[in-house]
Each structure stands twice: as C-alpha cells, then as structure tokens.
Amino acid sequence: SEEELVSALADLKRKSPDAMFRSALRKLPEHRTATELEMIYDEILHINALKELSNEIKKQLTKVIQFEFHQQVGTTLFHQGDEGRSWYVILSGVVDVLIHGKGVVCSLHEGDDFGNLAIVNDAPRAATIVTAQPNCQFLRVEKFDFVKILNEVEAKTDRLKEHGKDVLILEKNSLKSRSGSMADTLTPSNYKYSIARGTVDKILEHILRYIQPWVLTGMEDSMEDFIITYKLFTDSKHLCEYLLKQYRAGDSLKKGVVYFVVRWSHIHTYIFHEDPDIQSFLKVDTNFIKHISENPMVAVSGKPGLLNRRSSNNGTSGASQVVLTVGTSVQRYPMSKQNGAEPIHDSDKVLLKIYDWNNTYTTVKLPISATVSFQIIAAACEKLSNSPSDFKLVELHENHDTNEIPKRQTSVATAVSLNSRLYLTTTGDHPYLVNKQSASKTIEASHMETVSSLEIAYHLCKHNWNLMNNIHILEFLFKTCGGHKFKWTTSNLNVMARRFNQLAYWPPTEICLCANINKRVQLLRKFIKWDTYLKMYHDMFGFMAVMIGIGNQAVSRLHDTWDKLPSKYRKMVQGFEGILDPSRNHRNYRLFVASTESTRIPYFPLIMKDLTFMQEGNDTFKDDLVNFEKMVITLLDINVTTSVDNLLETTKTAGTTKKYAITCPVITNQVVLNEMSNTVEPKRT
C-alpha cells in the first residue's frame, strides 16, 4: 500500500547515512571516490581515539581504514599473545578486555580504541578482546597500512632547525588535479606546503615570505587561519612588535607585512580598531601608515566557510548605540530597516533592570562589556545607596531556579536566559528568591493557523540568518576558550543561543495553549510543515530547534493529538528524528549536511561542541611549538557559505508574519508546560 511504501522509504532514509558510510569503508582503497574519502574524513575527524594524529595521517587513513562487524556476543577479535596486526576503534557496542589469570579487567565502549600499542611497538597482544554486546561495529587499520602511512608522512615532512631544535615543521600535501583526484606522486608542480607546527615568529615569517598579496592561494588560507586564531597562542603586542621589526628590516617582507595588516583589519573589523596594542603599533611609524594607505582596501572574499568576513566599515567604532532592555520577557533588540537585527558591539549601551528581594527594581545603563563586580553591582548599589561589597547578582529563572552570575562575567544582558530576572541580593536574601514570582508573563494563543507555513518559515530563516551574520568569527573562539581570558564579549553568539531556546520552546507553548484538539492537530501539522520548509531553506539551526520543540515531553505525551495527525506527518517526524538523533556524535546530521549542496545556517550547538572537542582534545603547543594544525581543524567547523535570497514574493501579511516570526513569545518553565499539557489532554486511564 501507499502507507507501507512511505513507511519503508522513511526507514531507509533514517538508515541511509550509516549504509553510505559502511558501503564506502567496504570498498577497496582504489575504488573509493573523492566524495567517499571526504565523508570518511569528516567521520574520523571527530573520533576521540584519533585526535592526536596529524591531519595528513587522518587523510591517508581514509584510503585504508576498513569496517568490521560482529553480530554475536562472545566473538573473540584476538587473543593475548597473538601477533599485533590491526588497530581497532569501536564505532558502536562494547568489548571486554581479558588478561590471563585476571579475567575481565575492564570494558571498552563507543569511541575507545585498542590494539594500537602492539602494532606501533611490534609487540604481541597484551590482552584478549571479546565482544560483550551483539552487533558490534569497528573501524580497523592494518599494521602494514598504518606503518606505511607514518613513514610516508614523515618522508613528506620538512623540518627547519635552529640550535638543534625544530622551529618550523612543514608537510607536503598533494594538490587536486582538474579532475578532482589527488596526485599519486609529489613533484614541485603538484604539491603545496602546509604548516604543521612552529614557533610564532617562524610561522609568521613563513607566511609573510610566501604570501602573494591580493591573490587567493594556499598561503592566503594559512594567513587567515593565523589572523583568526593567534590570540590562542600569542597576543597582539608581540604580533605588532614582530611585524614592525620585519617591516623595518628591508624590502623582502615589507609588502607581505602591509598586506597582512590590511587583511587583519578586514577580518577582525571592530576588534582590530578597538585594540589598544594595535592602535599604538599603527602610530609608531608614519611611513608604515602611508604605505598601508596607498594599498587598496579591497574586500578579498577569502576562504569559504568563515563567518562574517565583513568589510572594514561594518562594525567599526563610531556605530550608533544599541540599547537593550533586560526585563520580564524576551530581550528586545532594535530592528534595522535593511538587515534585521543589529550586531552588538562591546561599546554599545545596555539598560539593565535589576530587582531586589521586594520585587522593586532600579535600572542602570552601562556598556555591554561591563563586568558584574566592578560595574554592574557598583552602579546598582550607588543608586540604592548600598555598599557593593555586601551584594551579588543573581539570575532568577522562570522555573524558580537561581544561579549567581560570576563576578567577572560580561555581556550579562545577552547571557541571561529567556524570561528571567536579575536580582541584587545578599547571602541572606538568596533563599527567599525561590518563592518569588517567575519572570514570565501571560501568553495568549496566537492565530497561527491563519499564517502561511512557507511565508513564516522564510521569515524565520531570514531572521536566523541575520542573527548569525552578526556573529564575529572570533566570538566562537572566545566562547570556547573562556571569555574571561580575552577582553572581548560574545554577545552576538549569546543572542543566537537564546534564539535557539526560543524556537525550541515555541511548539510546546503554542500547542499546549490550545484547548481544542482539532486546532492542536492543525498546529502540530503547521509546525511539521514549517520544519519541512526550514530544511528546504537549509536552515538547520531553525530545523533542529523546532524539531526539539516538537519532541518536547509536553507535546510527545499528547497521544490523542498524535493519533488524529495524518500518518504522512507522523512519518515525516520519524524521518526528522533520524537527523536529530545525537548518537554516534550526530552522525546522521553530519552525513545529511554533507549530502546537501550548502548549509545556510548550521546547527550551532553542535559547532560549539565540536570546537570544544578540538580545543580540549588537542594541545595548543607540542614540544614547545604552536600546533598550527589544531587551528586549521578548529576553523573547519565554522562553515557557513551562502546567504538567504529573497525567494518569497512580498505579501499583504509579510509585515505581520515577520514580526510574529521574530518575537514568538514562549513559556520556558517545563513544569508549567507539563501542567498545561495535562490540562488540555489528561492522562489516559
């Protein structure tokens, strides 16, 4: 029947990412296509067991790594004392590690590896490995292949030494031919050097020496990677001193230094213009300033996949102030007539509404970069004629949970949760906050059923893209590495995170506010159709948020509503749930995105997870050298390439729909949502 066909197709779609991956791994190395090698590389890039391997070794592994499957429990992969011939990584399942005379000493799970010591040290197996669960899946690398790769990579590695120590390590990488394939042998015409590790000065000297100003080359990529990530391993002062030294040394690197500074200003935008060390550097040598001014301030597009490469006039100092209000509902941001939400800069002013335990409040107007201890509490206490040393700033959430905001926290206005309030309290007042009224306001059911699904999905996508475009690429690094280590805030990234929560609470809020079951079914259908269009627009950020909202327990328990939903929509949800599935490090989502031509708006929570994995799982320094490969891998996770075109004709309801898509008031108290859900549809007896 048609229904069975739809069900079968949905099931195949859920299983297809795994099937594609296994199919590629089962092929002989010479039969794997470039697309399949890229898919395998994307998969192993996020495997914890392989994190210490260099990028080049991982790329070579994609050609030889194999898939192994064992259906039965108790299958022995190898015995203690056997010759070490393979290295294994667990994709799924559990294995037991047994040692003679001791029995099972431990168990290994998904993401763990075993067998590597035996093949590296050429030693016999130290333990017996037995499957402890059915249907275990593994990645396997043969000893011969792994040793060959290590030798080949070392042969393609050039080391620059000073005083007997490595100061710069370069790797030769094959260039793609016009057909898209990699060269089999390395000749001067078909390879390029990539920076693996080095001292800060030697990496920078190599970039300056081989950069070709205004020509997009591989070295342009390395320069941009350095400019974006340098704050992780050095500071602006050292960088400026070295650049000035090289500029004054002679003509050989002078053009490269000037171009580097021009690109630096383009990429860092307002952060460049507001950095005091950079401004001091620019004032030291008038000839240097003259040399820069004679070069065209051309907006080079740079490497695709990097967020917010804005022209220098977007986001520089002197922009109009943005006044934000932290109140009892979603924070409101001024809308630009041209682009939607305005970007937030550190110098922008924020109007903070701060309550005391009597529920009276005072307002303070401070820069968005104001810290809790030195500015926010001090300003509030000055108005209230209190001593700042006796108070702390506490956030009261809609569900009555409280948390003290760290005293060194900045961007408080954008960091607080939806529907929360800020309280100025003493230690003695803190327990009383749990009895305060939550910050939510009464929300009435909307008239969503009258809104075009395609139109509202378009405006959702458009607004999400505007918010994303406001994020400076450095905000990702600041957020991942700890904002307190840097002078700059992550306000725009905070806004994007709060937008995700807003969209995730939208479906349960609207559906649980509706008492009529037929209208609830219609609303549920509407949200599913929105998600279909968001997926069509490649807005994975909005798609995943709305899908999480549809799966909220307050919605999923509405059995009568789901029973009345047409089977076509239930199957669509099942298909979407496959993409949402977080198992195997969100493999289904990753493979789905890899199969699409472009992703306008990525799933930001996963980007932050990957960046954290890269930051914490890889050393910034190796043998006292900057691990530059880590910087390159980190930036690969920030991949946004296209904008949202005007794909929808203007309609009479466009203004109302756009406002509705941006504001969408929500209830964030899960307890309240569950109660509302039980009210509209009591538990079945």
Side-chain angles (χ1 to χ4, degrees):
S1 67
E2 183 178 351
E3 185 173 335
E4 290 174 339
L5 178 62
V6 171
S7 177
L9 290 174
D11 189 54
L12 284 173
K13 195 170 184 178
R14 289 196 300 274
K15 295 178 179 178
S16 62
D18 269 348
M20 292 166 55
F21 182 62
R22 290 196 300 267
S23 175
L25 290 173
R26 286 191 170 108
K27 289 185 178 181
L28 293 173
E30 59 269 23
H31 294 160
R32 295 176 184 176
T33 66
T35 302
E36 289 171 336
L37 292 176
E38 186 175 349
M39 177 177 64
I40 296 172
Y41 179 72
D42 288 340
E43 176 73 24
I44 68 175
L45 192 63
H46 299 95
I47 294 178
N48 191 58
L50 306 179
K51 66 183 181 182
E52 293 298 329
L53 300 179
S54 71
N55 294 348
E56 185 61 24
I57 291 177
K58 291 175 185 174
K59 290 176 182 177
Q60 295 302 321
L61 281 177
T62 62
K63 302 175 183 178
V64 300
I65 201 164
Q66 300 175 53
F67 178 79
E68 188 169 315
F69 174 76
H70 294 285
Q71 188 175 13
Q72 302 297 325
V73 177
T75 302
T76 301
L77 275 71
F78 53 75
H79 293 88
Q80 184 176 345
D82 288 350
E83 179 186 355
R85 297 178 179 177
S86 303
W87 174 24
Y88 294 85
V89 178
I90 304 174
L91 281 178
S92 67
V94 180
V95 299
D96 288 334
V97 181
L98 297 88
I99 295 179
H100 294 329
K102 295 182 179 180
V104 178
V105 294
C106 67
S107 296
L108 301 176
H109 302 79
E110 179 180 321
D112 293 331
D113 69 313
F114 55 89
N116 57 325
L117 292 179
I119 67 172
V120 172
N121 299 329
D122 201 21
R125 297 295 192 188
T128 299
I129 302 294
V130 179
T131 58
Q133 285 185 355
N135 303 321
C136 289
Q137 300 180 24
F138 305 92
L139 293 177
R140 188 184 79 247
V141 181
E142 297 300 324
K143 176 181 178 179
F144 172 81
D145 293 325
F146 188 63
V147 173
K148 181 182 178 182
I149 288 173
L150 292 180
N151 292 334
E152 287 179 350
V153 170
E154 182 59 33
K156 294 189 294 183
T157 301
D158 285 354
R159 300 174 183 270
L160 177 64
K161 295 180 179 288
E162 289 184 356
H163 307 294
K165 293 184 177 180
D166 291 333
V167 293
L168 184 65
I169 300 176
L170 304 174
E171 291 181 349
K172 293 179 182 177
N173 297 311
S174 300
L175 293 174
K176 287 185 178 180
S177 66
R178 291 183 179 180
S179 63
S181 60
M182 305 299 289
D184 294 327
T185 58
L186 293 178
T187 63
S189 62
N190 65 15
Y191 74 81
K192 67 174 181 178
Y193 279 108
S194 64
I195 303 169
R197 298 190 296 278
T199 64
V200 176
D201 291 354
K202 287 300 177 181
I203 291 175
L204 189 53
E205 179 185 346
H206 180 77
I207 291 172
L208 295 176
R209 188 171 301 279
Y210 294 100
I211 193 70
Q212 299 179 41
W214 316 116
V215 179
L216 297 181
T217 64
M219 194 54 63
E220 176 85 18
D221 293 347
S222 297
M223 181 187 68
E224 291 191 357
D225 293 340
F226 185 97
I227 289 172
I228 293 168
T229 62
Y230 79 85
K231 287 180 178 288
L232 300 182
F233 49 83
T234 187
D235 54 45
S236 299
K237 184 177 181 181
H238 175 83
L239 185 54
C240 291
E241 290 174 349
Y242 182 83
L243 289 172
L244 192 59
K245 175 184 174 182
Q246 294 299 327
Y247 178 81
R248 290 173 170 173
D251 294 333
S252 60
L253 299 181
K254 185 171 291 188
K255 186 180 292 186
V257 171
V258 172
Y259 180 65
F260 183 95
V261 174
V262 171
R263 294 297 295 124
W264 188 6
S265 69
H266 258 97
I267 294 171
H268 278 225
T269 61
Y270 65 89
I271 293 179
F272 178 92
H273 294 280
E274 295 176 5
D275 190 316
D277 291 323
I278 297 175
Q279 294 310 303
S280 298
F281 155 66
L282 294 175
K283 295 175 183 177
V284 168
D285 194 319
T286 55
N287 290 329
F288 182 59
I289 294 295
K290 182 180 178 181
H291 199 161
I292 290 179
S293 63
E294 291 172 352
N295 282 266
M297 200 65 162
V298 182
V300 178
S301 61
K303 161 176 62 175
L306 296 182
L307 264 178
N308 204 32
R309 298 299 175 85
R310 307 175 187 171
S311 59
S312 59
N313 62 353
N314 184 5
T316 58
S317 56
S320 59
Q321 292 182 337
V322 180
V323 178
L324 317 173
T325 301
V326 178
T328 59
S329 61
V330 180
Q331 282 73 5
R332 299 185 301 277
Y333 295 89
M335 296 296 107
S336 166
K337 293 181 180 179
Q338 297 179 348
N339 301 321
E342 292 281 1
I344 303 169
H345 301 159
D346 289 6
S347 58
D348 293 335
K349 298 293 185 178
V350 55
L351 190 64
L352 288 170
K353 186 182 289 186
I354 302 176
Y355 291 80
D356 61 20
W357 71 280
N358 289 318
N359 265 350
T360 58
Y361 67 85
T362 185
T363 57
V364 293
K365 188 176 181 180
L366 294 166
I368 193 73
S369 58
T371 58
V372 170
S373 57
F374 295 108
Q375 291 167 282
I376 297 177
I377 292 179
C381 287
E382 182 179 357
K383 280 196 167 186
L384 299 172
S385 301
N386 290 320
S387 171
S389 60
D390 298 331
F391 288 88
K392 56 187 176 181
L393 197 63
V394 174
E395 180 182 2
L396 175 64
H397 299 271
E398 189 178 10
N399 62 357
H400 303 290
D401 286 344
T402 61
N403 62 279
E404 181 180 354
I405 300 180
K407 292 191 175 181
R408 61 185 179 184
Q409 174 79 50
T410 60
S411 299
V412 172
T414 59
V416 294
S417 305
L418 289 166
N419 301 340
S420 65
R421 281 182 176 177
L422 295 175
Y423 277 81
L424 191 65
T425 73
T426 63
T427 304
D429 292 336
H430 198 173
Y432 296 103
L433 287 181
V434 296
N435 298 318
K436 293 296 176 187
Q437 293 296 319
S438 64
S440 63
K441 64 180 181 180
T442 301
I443 298 177
E444 297 180 357
S446 64
H447 300 285
M448 272 181 50
E449 63 274 7
T450 63
V451 180
S452 164
S453 296
L454 178 61
E455 186 173 16
I456 198 164
Y458 168 78
H459 288 296
L460 282 170
C461 182
K462 187 79 172 179
H463 184 64
N464 293 343
W465 190 87
N466 287 334
L467 292 178
M468 180 201 69
N469 194 47
N470 290 337
I471 302 172
H472 197 294
I473 189 171
L474 293 184
E475 291 189 45
F476 288 95
L477 301 183
F478 296 163
K479 190 77 170 180
T480 305
C481 303
H484 62 280
K485 298 178 182 179
F486 306 95
K487 299 177 182 179
W488 312 101
T489 67
T490 58
S491 299
N492 297 291
L493 191 56
N494 293 341
V495 171
M496 198 70 179
R498 191 160 55 198
R499 174 65 172 174
F500 187 87
N501 292 331
Q502 183 185 27
L503 293 178
Y505 278 110
W506 197 6
T509 298
E510 291 283 358
I511 293 171
C512 293
L513 280 171
C514 184
N516 184 286
I517 187 170
N518 292 323
K519 287 188 176 181
R520 276 203 310 279
V521 173
Q522 191 174 354
L523 284 174
L524 186 54
R525 288 177 57 182
K526 185 77 73 172
F527 276 113
I528 295 170
K529 289 177 70 175
W530 288 1
D531 236 17
T532 303
Y533 289 128
L534 288 172
K535 182 165 164 279
M536 180 188 74
Y537 283 130
H538 303 297
D539 179 1
M540 301 312 296
F541 173 86
F543 169 82
M544 297 292 268
V546 173
M547 192 59 222
I548 288 174
I550 292 173
N552 186 288
Q553 58 181 318
V555 177
S556 61
R557 64 162 300 278
L558 299 173
H559 300 293
D560 293 339
T561 304
W562 284 97
D563 288 346
K564 296 193 72 172
L565 187 71
S567 60
K568 178 180 73 172
Y569 288 92
R570 292 199 297 269
K571 298 301 180 184
M572 289 169 63
V573 171
Q574 290 177 5
F576 294 163
E577 286 174 342
I579 300 175
L580 187 67
D581 182 10
S583 64
R584 311 279 285 280
N585 195 20
H586 293 270
R587 174 189 284 178
N588 288 354
Y589 169 81
R590 295 182 193 279
L591 294 180
F592 170 79
V593 170
S595 68
T596 61
E597 293 182 359
S598 64
T599 300
R600 287 189 171 95
I601 312 175
Y603 181 33
F604 275 80
L606 186 56
I607 286 183
M608 297 309 301
K609 176 186 174 183
D610 287 346
L611 289 175
T612 302
F613 175 82
M614 294 300 173
Q615 170 63 19
E616 296 180 354
N618 296 273
D619 296 328
T620 301
F621 293 89
K622 284 187 176 181
D623 301 324
D624 297 325
L625 300 178
V626 176
N627 182 13
F628 199 70
E629 284 188 318
K630 170 185 175 179
M631 311 306 156
V632 176
I633 297 176
T634 297
L635 294 180
L636 288 176
D637 281 309
I638 308 174
N639 185 26
V640 184
T641 58
T642 57
S643 63
V644 180
D645 303 318
N646 292 318
L647 303 176
L648 195 69
E649 294 182 2
T650 303
T651 64
K652 294 180 180 180
T653 59
T656 303
T657 306
K658 179 180 178 181
K659 182 180 179 181
Y660 181 56
I662 293 174
T663 56
C664 55
V666 296
I667 297 171
T668 59
N669 189 337
Q670 189 62 48
V671 174
V672 172
L673 289 172
N674 290 341
E675 291 174 351
M676 293 165 58
S677 177
N678 280 297
T679 300
V680 298
E681 197 170 304
K683 186 177 181 180
R684 288 178 174 177
T685 56

